[in-house]
């Protein structure tokens, strides 16, 4: 790979990496059977159910935001990256271009914002539901901020001078009360307690087991195992809660089951692993052993199509949220469990 091409790829990676909402059963059923994967006669496992991007989807935008940055921008996602969902009916989306967090309340059908005037380059998001804290990584400020989701006040910050080179992906393990932070250009994952005190680090630069080459997005499963998108090693690595390497899967390639620009990652209630790939404009679904089960999406602007997708989150109802970055929207899918 030439040095110019490598710089382009690195810049693209750093830019793009940098209960729950109420959707009724009727809403899920009303979405056309055209938008299911796999297509009949195979049994569908994924179904498209919604997309959100602007005031047409969520009424009640902020008058303050409209005054400060213009009504059109205030009501429209511009460059969504990290996405997370809380247990009280809100979807949080980091907008890197507008330097704010969109908060879509699906119960109240309102749109509000967090981080106005506090953020410079929001990328990743995580949620501590017990305390009502939204964690956001800011790649420009080189910090992680803990924001009270109700008051928009900053509870505390993580990141002394020099602590992060480029914080990106985040995940909060509510079982262990730990926050995991990908330091992408530092080639490691840093682990903090719930109050932001450092606990330990995972990894260093390299290609061996437990080493990273520009790690980005993160996820944890119900057993507190950590999943790391090891972006430039084109793989996913899995660790236990103490940072011990367990396994890995994935390789560079353009075939299904391989990775080209892996980004967001999440797990459903049955332990399937979902990985967004911005180059393929889809997300792929793997079993626990890393075997490909299904892929969803292709390049485009229609339902179930993507243009450089980034972040991903799966809630406790197995709804799949994908930040479709250059289509300026969040798309929502439903994992359809096998009927028993």
């Amino acid at each position: 790979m030439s040095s110019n091409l490598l710089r382009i790829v690195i810049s693209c990676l750093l830019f793009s990496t940098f209960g729950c909402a109420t959707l009724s059963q009727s809403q899920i059923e009303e979405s056309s059977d055209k938008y299911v994967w796999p297509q009949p006669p195979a049994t569908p496992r994924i179904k498209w159910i919604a997309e959100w991007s602007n005031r047409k989807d969520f009424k009640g935008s902020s008058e303050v935001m409209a005054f400060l940055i213009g009504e059109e921008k205030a009501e429209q996602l511009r460059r969504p990256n990290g996405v997370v969902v809380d247990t009280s009916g809100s979807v949080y989306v980091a907008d890197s271009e507008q330097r704010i967090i969109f908060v879509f309340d699906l119960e109240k059908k309102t749109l509000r914002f967090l981080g106005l005037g506090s953020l410079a380059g929001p990328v990743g998001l995580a949620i501590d539901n017990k305390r009502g804290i939204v964690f956001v990584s800011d790649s420009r400020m080189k910090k992680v901020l803990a924001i009270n989701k109700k008051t928009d006040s900053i509870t505390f910050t993580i990141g002394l001078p020099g602590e992060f080179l480029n914080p990106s992906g985040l995940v909060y393990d509510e079982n262990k009360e730990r926050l995991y932070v990908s330091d992408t250009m530092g080639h490691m994952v840093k682990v903090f307690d719930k109050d932001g005190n450092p606990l330990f680090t995972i990894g260093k630069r390299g290609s061996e087991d437990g080493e990273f080459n520009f790690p980005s997005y993160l996820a944890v499963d119900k057993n507190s195992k950590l999943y790391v998108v090891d972006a430039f090693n084109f793989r996913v690595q899995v660790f236990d809660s103490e940072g011990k390497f367990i396994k890995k899967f994935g390789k560079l390639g353009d075939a299904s089951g391989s990775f080209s620009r892996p980004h967001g990652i999440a797990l459903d209630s049955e332990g399937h692993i979902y990985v967004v790939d911005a180059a393929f404009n889809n997300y792929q679904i793997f079993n626990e052993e890393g075997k490909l089960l299904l892929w969803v999406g292709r390049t485009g602007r229609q339902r179930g199509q993507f243009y450089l997708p980034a972040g991903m989150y799966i809630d406790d109802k197995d709804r799949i949220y994908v930040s479709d970055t250059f289509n300026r929207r969040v798309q929502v899918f439903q994992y359809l469990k096998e009927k028993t």
Side-chain angles (χ1 to χ4, degrees):
M1 184 180 291
S2 69
S3 59
N4 287 336
L5 179 58
L6 180 60
R7 282 196 294 270
I8 293 172
V9 174
I10 290 175
S11 65
C12 288
L13 171 70
L14 296 180
F15 180 80
S16 60
T17 63
F18 306 137
C20 185
T22 299
L23 285 174
S24 69
Q25 186 62 33
S26 62
Q27 286 178 291
I28 296 173
E29 291 172 353
E30 284 172 4
S31 60
S32 172
D33 286 341
K34 176 182 177 182
Y35 303 106
V36 296
W37 295 263
Q39 286 283 303
T43 302
R45 287 288 175 257
I46 302 293
K47 187 172 188 174
W48 183 97
I49 55 174
E51 67 176 63
W52 308 313
S53 63
N54 55 42
R55 186 176 181 177
K56 294 179 181 179
D57 306 308
F58 298 91
K59 304 298 182 182
S61 61
S62 167
E63 293 181 1
V64 174
M65 281 293 300
F67 175 77
L68 290 175
I69 67 175
E71 183 174 355
E72 181 180 354
K73 284 188 176 183
E75 297 177 353
Q76 172 68 55
L77 283 169
R78 303 291 292 182
R79 192 144 299 175
N81 279 312
V83 57
V84 72
V85 182
D86 70 14
T87 55
S88 62
S90 296
V91 180
Y92 302 77
V93 186
D95 191 313
S96 298
E97 181 175 322
Q98 299 186 83
R99 305 179 184 182
I100 52 175
I101 300 169
F102 278 61
V103 185
F104 297 148
D105 189 317
L106 304 186
E107 286 186 328
K108 298 179 181 178
K109 299 297 182 182
T110 59
L111 170 62
R112 60 187 178 90
F113 303 91
L114 294 178
L116 179 60
S118 301
L119 302 174
V123 179
L125 295 176
I127 188 85
D128 176 358
N129 284 295
K130 294 178 182 178
R131 296 184 295 170
I133 289 176
V134 177
F135 295 98
V136 53
S137 60
D138 193 303
S139 61
R140 293 181 182 176
M141 295 172 63
K142 299 183 179 181
K143 293 181 179 181
V144 174
L145 285 72
I147 301 177
N148 184 302
K149 72 176 188 178
K150 293 183 178 180
T151 66
D152 194 21
S153 59
I154 298 175
T155 305
F156 58 89
T157 61
I158 306 172
L160 298 173
E163 184 160 10
F164 294 118
L165 295 179
N166 182 251
S168 57
L170 299 179
V171 69
Y172 185 76
D173 182 356
E174 297 203 84
N175 293 327
K176 296 286 186 178
E177 296 187 322
R178 288 178 178 175
L179 178 70
Y180 296 87
V181 183
S182 275
D183 191 353
T184 298
M185 295 188 71
H187 308 286
M188 65 179 63
V189 175
K190 297 187 174 183
V191 189
F192 301 85
D193 69 16
K194 65 179 182 179
D195 297 315
N197 300 305
L199 297 176
F200 57 92
T201 63
I202 304 172
K204 62 179 182 179
R205 190 168 195 181
S207 58
E208 300 299 319
D209 293 350
E211 297 178 345
F212 302 115
N213 194 15
F214 295 93
S216 56
Y217 289 92
L218 307 173
V220 292
D221 67 15
K222 59 186 177 182
N223 297 314
S224 294
K225 288 186 293 188
L226 174 69
Y227 295 73
V228 182
V229 175
D230 187 8
F232 276 14
N233 282 327
F234 308 98
R235 64 187 181 183
V236 172
Q237 295 199 67
V238 186
F239 301 83
D240 68 16
S241 61
E242 301 306 314
K244 181 180 178 181
F245 173 83
I246 298 175
K247 58 185 177 182
K248 63 187 177 184
F249 67 90
K251 63 180 181 180
L252 175 63
D254 57 7
S256 297
S258 300
F259 297 127
S260 180
R261 286 178 60 190
H263 281 11
I265 186 169
L267 291 95
D268 66 27
S269 63
E270 295 181 343
H272 304 123
I273 307 160
Y274 297 61
V275 184
V276 171
D277 198 298
F280 298 156
N281 286 306
N282 69 8
Y283 59 88
Q284 301 184 90
I285 306 172
F286 301 86
N287 66 12
E288 294 182 5
E289 286 71 46
K291 178 182 178 181
L292 179 68
L293 302 176
L294 178 67
W295 57 269
V296 175
R298 58 188 175 88
T299 305
R301 301 187 182 279
Q302 302 303 313
R303 294 176 176 180
Q305 298 178 355
F306 301 98
Y307 189 13
L308 296 181
M312 168 179 271
Y313 188 82
I314 300 178
D315 69 16
D316 59 2
K317 299 295 189 298
D318 282 329
R319 297 172 192 129
I320 306 152
Y321 304 79
V322 182
S323 56
D324 187 5
T325 304
F326 275 48
N327 281 328
R328 298 177 177 178
R329 63 184 177 182
V330 171
Q331 295 200 64
V332 189
F333 304 79
Q334 178 71 53
Y335 170 59
L336 304 173
K337 294 183 179 181
E338 186 173 356
K339 295 182 179 179
T340 56

